[in-house]
Structure formats: C-alpha cells, structure tokens
Amino acid sequence: MRIPFSRRNWERQMDAELRFHLDQQIRDYMDRGLSRAEAEWRVRQEFGPIELAKDECRDQRSAELLNHIWRDLRLACRSLRKSPGFAAAVVATLALGIGANTAIFSLVYAVLLKPLPFPAPDRIFSVETLIPRQNALSSLPMRVQDYLKWRNVNTAFESIAALTPAQWNLTGNGEPERLGGALVSANFFTFLGATPQRGRTFTAEEETPGKQNVVVISDSLWRRRYGADPAVVGKTIMLNAVPRVVVGIAPPNYWSPPARCSTRR
Amino acid sequence: MSRHEPADLLQGTLDMLILKVAALEPIHGYAIVQRLQQISKDALQIRQGSLYPALYRLENRGWLKAEWKTTEGGREAKFYSLTREGRRQLEAETAGWKRLCDAISLVLETTE
C-alpha cells in the first residue's frame, strides 16, 4: 500500500474519482432520456452532500497516516529487539551524547550565561588600573585614594563602589571559624541594588575611621552559626579578635566574593 | 471512525458487499453501486456518498488495493480489487453473516 504523501495530489485524486462517479451517473440518466439539468439534479439528490463525503474520505486518510506511523514504530521496536547488541550501542551512544551535552551546557550556563544576581547586571563594570607598555603586572588593583577621587568626579556611572576581599577568624560562642568576605565602601549594597533581609546596611558615616566596626553577615552564616536568630542584629561578634557590631543580614543567595580572591590579600 | 454511530451494522454490511463485488474483478466505485443495485434487484439503496469513505477505509485496512486504469469509455478511473487479506476477510465476514442469519431465522421460526 502506497500513500500519496502530498496532500494536494491526494485531494486531486479524490476529486477525480468522485467526479468520474458523478459524470457516469449523469450520463446514465441522460441515456435513459433525462435532460442534463434533470440528470444532474437527480445525481446530486442520490449522492448526498459531496463535501460531507469528501470529509469522511479525508478522515480515512488521517487514520491511514496514523496507521503508517504506528506500523513504522512497531517495525522499529521489533528490529531493535531482534538485535539487542545494536540497540544497546544506540542507546549508549545517545545517552553519552545527551549526557555530554548537558554537562557542557551546565558549565557554559554557569560560567557564561547565568545572569548575575543583581538588577541590571549588564550595567555593572569592574574598574582596574592599567599600566601601558608593561606585559607582566600590566594591571593593578585600584588604590583607595583613586577610588575616593573618582567617586567625587564621577559622571559616567550611576555610582561607584569599592570592594576588597578579606578573611577573618570568627571566635567566641562556639568553634572558631575562618570566614571569607570583603571590605566594602558604605554604598556597596545600594550600588548592587540589594536590601538586607534584616537590619540595615552601612551608612556613609561608617566609612570614617573609628566608626568602621560594623558588619553585614551572609544569610548562610546567619542560619548556620546563629540558627537564624533575628536577635543577632545589634549583637557584637569577634572578628580577628576585634569586636564588630552586626548591623544587618544580607538577602538569601546573595553574592559574596569567592574565597579564592581572598588569598591574594 | 464514522460519524453515524447507529449505522454500525449497516456499515459493516456495506463493507462486506463491497468486498464481495470487488472479488470478481477490478471495479470502480460507480460500477460497484450499479452492480449492487442490479444484483439486489434495486432492493438495496446505497447512500452513494458513503461508498467512497468505505472504499478508502477498506483500502486503508489492506483489504482492497486501488489502481488507476482507463475505462471502456476511455476515461481514467480508480479500480479496486481484493487483496489476499481482503479475500480472507470476505470469507470470514460471509461465514459470520450466515451464522447470524441462521441464528435469527431459527429464533423467528421457533417462536412462531
């Protein structure tokens, strides 16, 4: 059985077949002495609605197509079952291919595609000092003096914030712990559009010497070490044996500087 | 498959009659209608519009095969003939029909 897969071709054949039927019947009636108009009228009466008949034929065609697909599937399954070694090889190939693709995509997504967890991440830039005509050590970290100067004359950016990775020893109230974090300018959280889930972030005044003993702790530290106790805000903790006041708790999943950075202090 | 549920028996009957007529020689749709009315002495009135869906269905099931040929009148027409499977199906349906008829007449005669 062959299927005319082209729909237009199939329709043309059906039309021709029905046309043939009607023409024959009309000619028959005319041979028996009816006028052409009478014959045509009678044939229409006897045949019934032609469009309905055509629709029913089309239904058959759809059923036939489904039938074919189903038969192909069954054939495929049968032949796979007949050669299990080949089937296993195919399945293994597919599994490896899909697995490798998934792994690579996950990596590419995490490294290249995943957006930063801040509003308007495409408008955030990192600034560094470049030394022309020097290949080794051609870029240097920013100096605080430069930062302060630039912040005052900045017109290119909405705002400029500074950050330097750091590590601390957290002591008191349980096991001592080595924590990664960063020293930041007071506007750092506003800069990234982050609001603390409890307490507050830093005020401009806390940038001045003597008022810097304030910290915002991460959500994970808050949960792990302090059991998500809201009363931690306002408490004093010991970092590198210096008392610091916890003023706020960063939002969950908030980005913190990778620990790797803090080794180059 | 059909839009007319109550016509189930009739539809099955039409299929059987088509197979029977197509078993003799390759035949086109119009001639099938003529032959059926002729043989049944016009006692069978076939709704001609339902003939073609039936033909397509039988072809779909592999009981009929179709071929375009030239008629005596010199026109192209689609001729249907029985496949080997169709022949088996016709035998099965005929046997089933005979059993049904026998059973029905038995009931009618016994209760008379």
Side-chain angles (χ1 to χ4, degrees):
Chain A
M1 178 166 42
R2 204 179 67 238
I3 291 193
F5 265 103
S6 139
R7 183 169 186 108
R8 198 187 299 158
N9 191 27
W10 187 88
E11 288 274 338
R12 222 185 39 229
Q13 289 204 12
M14 179 181 64
D15 280 345
E17 189 177 13
L18 296 180
R19 190 69 249 167
F20 172 79
H21 182 109
L22 299 174
D23 284 352
Q24 288 293 312
Q25 183 84 72
I26 290 168
R27 222 188 48 193
D28 246 36
Y29 283 142
M30 284 167 71
D31 285 351
R32 281 189 237 164
L34 264 65
S35 76
R36 176 156 206 106
E38 276 175 321
E40 279 177 2
W41 185 82
R42 232 180 116 175
V43 167
R44 259 203 302 280
Q45 290 302 305
E46 283 177 2
F47 196 88
I50 289 181
E51 281 310 315
L52 179 68
K54 283 186 180 177
D55 262 357
E56 286 176 6
C57 288
R58 288 186 193 111
D59 287 351
Q60 290 307 319
R61 174 181 150 84
S62 316
E64 188 178 349
L65 287 175
L66 274 181
N67 217 349
H68 260 251
I69 295 167
W70 175 233
R71 230 176 308 158
D72 284 354
L73 270 177
R74 273 193 318 201
L75 178 67
C77 289
R78 261 209 310 278
S79 28
L80 279 182
R81 209 177 311 144
K82 244 184 262 167
S83 42
F86 175 69
V90 168
V91 170
T93 310
L94 282 174
L96 284 177
I98 294 170
N101 264 305
T102 313
I104 290 173
F105 179 77
S106 311
L107 193 72
V108 168
Y109 177 76
V111 174
L112 298 176
L113 302 176
K114 193 179 174 188
L116 295 168
F118 319 120
D122 53 324
R123 285 166 51 207
I124 298 174
F125 295 88
S126 138
V127 179
E128 57 188 39
T129 315
L130 287 179
I131 304 168
R133 290 189 299 277
Q134 185 167 348
N135 288 330
L137 217 69
S138 61
S139 84
L140 287 174
M142 291 286 306
R143 295 189 306 163
V144 175
Q145 300 93 304
D146 289 339
Y147 163 68
L148 291 173
K149 208 186 296 169
W150 288 11
R151 188 165 74 173
N152 292 333
V153 299
N154 163 46
T155 51
F157 295 100
E158 231 170 80
S159 64
I160 302 182
L163 159 148
T164 183
Q167 288 190 336
W168 293 273
N169 294 327
L170 172 63
T171 50
N173 195 17
E175 287 275 302
E177 207 175 322
R178 186 79 170 151
L179 295 179
L183 298 166
V184 298
S185 58
N187 64 344
F188 182 72
F189 287 92
T190 357
F191 169 82
L192 290 181
T195 44
Q197 55 173 318
R198 288 190 183 276
R200 59 175 179 86
T201 58
F202 306 120
T203 62
E205 169 178 68
E206 282 162 350
E207 271 182 8
T208 53
K211 304 203 166 164
Q212 296 167 325
N213 289 336
V214 284
V215 292
V216 171
I217 62 172
S218 73
D219 179 69
S220 65
L221 178 68
W222 180 51
R223 289 182 189 284
R224 178 162 45 82
R225 178 118 186 163
Y226 303 106
D229 179 9
V232 168
V233 178
K235 286 238 173 84
T236 301
I237 59 175
M238 297 299 282
L239 291 172
N240 288 356
V242 177
R244 313 266 181 180
V245 179
V246 177
V247 294
I249 295 153
N253 299 321
Y254 185 68
W255 174 84
S256 62
R260 181 174 60 81
C261 293
S262 51
T263 54
R264 280 193 285 136
R265 197 157 157 208
Chain B
M1 221 170 260
S2 166
R3 291 162 198 202
H4 312 288
E5 285 298 323
D8 235 17
L9 173 70
L10 279 178
Q11 187 183 74
T13 323
L14 177 62
D15 286 3
M16 185 170 63
L17 294 177
I18 291 173
L19 289 178
K20 178 74 189 170
V21 171
L24 304 175
E25 56 181 343
I27 189 169
H28 54 70
Y30 179 67
I32 290 177
V33 177
Q34 299 304 305
R35 189 73 53 85
L36 283 177
Q37 286 177 347
Q38 194 185 3
I39 297 174
S40 72
K41 304 193 176 75
D42 284 333
L44 289 177
Q45 269 299 330
I46 295 154
R47 188 173 78 83
Q48 298 183 12
S50 65
L51 173 73
Y52 286 92
L55 284 172
Y56 282 53
R57 183 173 54 244
L58 293 173
E59 192 187 350
N60 185 8
R61 294 200 180 150
W63 295 337
L64 286 182
K65 56 175 186 283
E67 200 183 355
W68 284 87
K69 280 199 259 186
T70 317
T71 63
E72 286 164 22
R75 275 191 66 168
E76 286 279 300
K78 204 172 167 190
F79 282 77
Y80 294 88
S81 54
L82 228 60
T83 61
R84 195 175 305 154
E85 262 181 82
R87 214 164 282 281
R88 268 202 300 276
Q89 176 66 18
L90 175 62
E91 278 163 23
E93 284 196 22
T94 314
W97 176 254
K98 284 208 173 105
R99 269 202 309 280
L100 182 66
C101 283
D102 287 351
I104 288 175
S105 16
L106 198 64
V107 172
L108 290 179
E109 280 158 26
T110 323
T111 45
E112 240 171 27

